[in-house]
Each structure stands twice: as C-alpha cells, then as structure tokens.
Amino acid sequence: PIMPFLVLPISEAIPVAVAASVVFLFVSGAVKSKFTKINWLRSGLEVLAIGLVATAAVYAIGTLVAV
C-alpha cells in the first residue's frame, strides 16, 4: 500500500504498510473461500503464506542483484 507513505513519515509508514499488506492478504484469502468452499481461516492463511514467501523471495533477489 502506498497511502501510508503519502501521509506519514517513512519510519512510521513502513510498519503501517506491512500491517496493511498482511491484513489485505489474509482478507483476500478469506474472501476466496466463498468461491472455493475451503475453510475461511485455512484459505486466509494460505494466501497470506504465499504472499509472505513471494515478498521474501523478491526482497532476497533484490538484495542479491544490486540495482
């Protein structure tokens, strides 16, 4: 989410953006359960885990490839 960076100092915006991302990933997984008929908690945690792994992978690649 970009909004925290527009209205907060960067030191405060980073944790707010991370928290918002975690919440939105979980909620999108919970909503997905309405269509897949999977338990909403399991679906939310699944999407959250996939998002966190993807984020870690992109961060690691960005660290290795000095841009």
Side-chain angles (χ1 to χ4, degrees):
I2 295 196
M3 185 59 94
F5 295 96
L6 299 176
V7 297
L8 296 171
I10 193 147
S11 62
E12 295 175 19
I14 291 173
V16 171
V18 168
S21 295
V22 167
V23 168
F24 287 127
L25 282 168
F26 181 82
V27 169
S28 66
V31 170
K32 180 186 83 156
S33 73
K34 295 286 186 186
F35 303 101
T36 60
K37 306 299 183 206
I38 298 174
N39 178 284
W40 66 271
L41 180 60
R42 179 174 185 253
S43 184
L45 291 174
E46 178 183 0
V47 172
L48 176 59
I50 291 168
L52 292 177
V53 168
T55 301
V58 171
Y59 182 81
I61 291 169
T63 301
L64 292 174
V65 180
V67 179

